[in-house]
Amino acid sequence: MGWFISFEGLDGSGKTTQIAGLAQRLRAAGHDVLLTREPGGTAIGDQIRSILHDMRNAEMTALAEFLLYSASRAQLVRQVIRPHLERGGTVLCDRFADSSLAYQGYGRQLDLDWVREVTRFVTEGVVPHLTIYLDLPVEIGLARKQAAFAAQRGERNRLDTQPLEFYRRVRDGYLSMARAEPQRWLVIDATQSIDQVQQSIWERLQHLLLEMGEAAR
Ligand code: TYD
């Protein structure tokens, strides 16, 4: 089995830039890297993504929302992630199951144990070896996102229109998940420059790959 690394963070945390940078470095180091994202990453997942993001779907219930993210995830795990890992490749995923715990569990306040249980079933037990969480105060993330809209670099989706309290719960949720499982989570201060963040990720990752390599032997 190859290495599975997921990226988490609030919108505006710079995940996409960091994932692209890490993919490049890992490829240069000889990894067979597959880069994917949630929701989406498959033809079916992309159709589900457009339902989830559609601003006209304001009446979507929290439960329907969670099950749609889960459906996209089930397809992605079976069709893309698991086969690549089984071939020994490295998978980098822009958001994974922890997003549902953070946004639908902590954010929408669905029952956390239930969300965890469904998620275990949906992911067929596939858990990232490492989850990189780019931490950012909610206000900074929202301001960055706002600036991207103003510069017409981003498209507003349904999840971008929640009250501040919602994003605060999501961030607190991420931080408590990271505290509960420190061996899997790497928390990085995303207020640093792009290069600083890239460097911290790379340093910790090299350490971890070494450790995991040792453990796998
Ligand atoms: P996206 O445009 O991919 O934004 P980002 O660059 O922040 O990943 O939008 C994904 C949105 O979906 C984001 O606001 C978080 C949300 N989301 C959930 O609420 N639950 C989930 O399980 C996932 C995967 C994403």
Side-chain angles (χ1 to χ4, degrees):
M1 284 291 253
W3 305 122
F4 180 23
I5 302 167
S6 63
F7 277 73
E8 298 287 347
L10 288 170
D11 307 282
S13 60
K15 271 186 296 103
T16 312
T17 309
Q18 294 300 337
I19 293 179
L22 182 62
Q24 213 174 17
R25 283 188 172 207
L26 284 171
R27 282 184 182 129
H31 287 247
D32 174 12
V33 177
L34 185 136
L35 218 160
T36 188
R37 69 163 179 186
E38 279 203 7
T42 64
I44 291 171
D46 284 337
Q47 293 171 62
I48 297 173
R49 181 185 177 89
S50 58
I51 299 173
L52 280 161
H53 283 191
D54 195 331
M55 294 289 252
R56 290 169 304 179
N57 290 336
E59 75 272 27
M60 189 183 294
T61 68
L63 181 56
E65 182 180 278
F66 170 60
L67 293 172
L68 284 168
Y69 281 115
S70 296
S72 167
R73 182 166 303 135
Q75 190 68 29
L76 185 67
V77 167
R78 183 62 74 88
Q79 194 182 334
V80 175
I81 296 179
R82 190 182 263 279
H84 194 74
L85 292 175
E86 281 171 357
R87 283 195 295 271
T90 301
V91 174
L92 299 188
C93 199
D94 189 342
R95 298 192 179 282
F96 192 59
D98 298 304
S99 278
S100 275
L101 276 154
Y103 284 78
Q104 282 66 54
Y106 289 93
R108 298 275 192 234
Q109 298 175 305
L110 287 178
D111 183 82
L112 279 175
D113 286 336
W114 183 79
V115 170
R116 260 190 218 106
E117 201 171 316
V118 175
T119 297
R120 210 169 16 245
F121 185 68
V122 162
T123 55
E124 305 177 12
V126 172
V127 178
H129 295 98
L130 174 67
T131 296
I132 297 169
Y133 169 56
L134 301 183
D135 184 50
L136 199 65
V138 169
E139 290 78 2
I140 297 182
L142 292 176
R144 284 190 187 173
K145 195 107 204 212
Q146 207 57 44
F149 292 142
Q152 297 187 327
R153 279 186 287 108
E155 209 177 306
R156 206 180 290 273
N157 69 54
R158 209 173 44 82
L159 272 294
D160 294 326
T161 53
Q162 307 303 312
L164 204 59
E165 259 324 295
F166 173 82
Y167 301 107
R168 293 217 169 99
R169 285 198 299 273
V170 172
R171 183 187 185 207
D172 290 346
Y174 272 130
L175 290 171
S176 65
M177 287 193 279
R179 270 195 304 273
E181 240 187 311
Q183 69 289 2
R184 172 162 75 90
W185 289 74
L186 169 59
V187 179
I188 296 195
D189 173 4
T191 61
Q192 303 175 96
S193 73
I194 291 177
D195 285 349
Q196 281 171 320
V197 172
Q198 189 69 233
Q199 199 49 35
S200 322
I201 292 177
W202 189 238
E203 278 165 18
R204 288 291 301 267
L205 192 68
Q206 278 179 314
H207 251 91
L208 258 143
L209 286 177
L210 249 170
E211 271 171 33
M212 292 195 290
E214 302 277 321
R217 256 175 240 146

